[in-house]
Amino acid sequence: MPQLPDGDPAPHDGRLPAASLSAMRGGTFSLYLHVPYCSVRCGYCDFNTYTLTELGDATGASLATWVDGVAAELDLAVDVLTADGGAPPVVDTVFVGGGTPSLLGADDLGRALGVVRQRFEAAPDWEVTTEANPDQVDEAFTTALARAGYTRLSVGMQSAVPHVLATLDRTHDPRNVERAVAAAQSADLAVSVDLIHGTPGESLADWRTSVEAALALRPDHVSAYALTIEEGTALHRRVARGELPRPSEDDQADKYELADDLLTGAGYAWYELSNWARTERGRCRHNEHYWDGGHWWGVGPGAHSHVGGTRFWNVKHPRAWAQRLASGSPAEAREVLTPEQVTEERVMLGIRRREGLPVEDVPDAGRQAVAGLVAAGLLEGVPAVRDRRLVLTRRGRLLADRVTWGLLGL
């Protein structure tokens, strides 16, 4: 698992700088609820997750007590966010991620959303998403989610090819993806399907099979991420031992282009490097809040938050999270972003999006690189430049990091 970043000690009561609370006022606000539980740990995953057998049933570490912990942290959030006398912010999006949120079952997922409603006002058209393992989704599950107020289901498909799923240590039955998506659609939930390309041993034909299988389901949204081999994972150890080949950049590029061709041909439009939506309403507003530098509170073990230029993150282990909540804030550390950090993040996140990056957001050190990036075919020319927005070409999407460093003058 990745280590938490360094930072300054977080106050025991979780209080935030007055300037951060002031900056939050009037902006959109989101909540992320982290479910750290999984039945098994996938070999490629380095998220902050734990199997149920690892955690046992100790206080604060079990599925049964997760919603109580969420309620306690949301009470803290309300106290912190209203310390300047203002009202709690209106919540525009909620995202329940993990881990495997569907392990909780629809009743506890509904109870968690009820806890949110008791403490915050919901925007009239709020977006509420939960991730789910397709093996745990049926019509009873999705009907209960919709009744509780969820609007969107994100299904972890990853691949439609059994040997690829096996390499990833994914245990779900690929046939259950179709059942899960159909159940969500029957409950009028928007559906997102997640795919991963570049698994060792995955051919281009395998990847085509997976993308076409996802398109056949007609989801509202598709995410297609390139696999990264993270240190400390089982997959990294297998690659290091020479049991599996490391994904090549050329292979990843070929698969990205194939996905873009197939998705575009089926009527989906990219709106962020790894995300395509069938309509404008199909875009994930929650993620867009992150990319816009919005304000959000991350609830749960290891969850990260950002409020008005202050970023803070919770202790990672579920038991430590619960213990800290019993007496104060579960935050491990925090940092107040400098103007330079804000600029860097605005460039890194903004250039990844279809709308592009306003030229005004590029620091002086990087503006001289724009003409060269256009000439290299990495940024669109006229009319994008005329509109004072920098938009990646498809080749630029494949080399987005190179473009980012150029725009930052690095």
Side-chain angles (χ1 to χ4, degrees), residues 256-298:
Y256 182 90
E257 290 181 332
L258 176 60
D260 191 50
D261 286 341
L262 294 173
L263 288 160
T264 302
Y268 292 75
W270 79 281
Y271 70 99
E272 192 273 344
L273 287 187
S274 301
N275 292 276
W276 290 258
R278 191 147 50 95
T279 65
E280 290 297 305
R281 288 185 59 82
R283 293 160 65 144
C284 179
R285 280 164 41 200
H286 184 86
N287 284 343
E288 290 189 297
H289 285 184
Y290 292 156
W291 304 327
D292 287 338
H295 314 288
W296 74 89
W297 191 293

Side-chain angles (χ1 to χ4, degrees), residues 68-200:
D68 295 332
V70 167
E73 187 167 353
L74 288 176
D75 284 337
L76 171 73
V78 170
D79 288 344
V80 169
L81 296 172
T82 59
D84 61 351
V90 176
V91 175
D92 189 54
T93 70
V94 180
F95 196 104
V96 186
T100 312
S102 48
L103 275 176
L104 288 164
D107 288 346
D108 271 356
L109 286 170
R111 194 157 67 93
L113 190 57
V115 166
V116 171
R117 286 183 182 275
Q118 290 166 8
R119 289 154 177 80
F120 291 90
E121 180 183 350
D125 62 341
W126 73 344
E127 174 192 273
V128 185
T129 305
T130 184
E131 296 176 336
N133 181 313
D135 285 348
Q136 296 154 0
V137 177
D138 56 21
E139 286 197 10
F141 178 84
T142 57
T143 298
L145 286 184
R147 188 180 302 120
Y150 284 82
T151 66
R152 192 170 179 274
L153 188 73
S154 179
V155 179
M157 177 178 177
Q158 318 312 352
S159 175
V161 179
H163 79 83
V164 175
L165 292 172
T167 299
L168 294 171
D169 292 325
R170 294 286 297 185
T171 59
H172 72 263
D173 185 335
R175 294 171 296 184
N176 285 340
V177 174
E178 181 178 358
R179 182 191 68 168
V181 171
Q185 291 168 337
S186 71
D188 290 327
L189 296 175
V191 178
S192 177
V193 169
D194 287 352
L195 297 171
I196 292 177
H197 61 81
T199 300

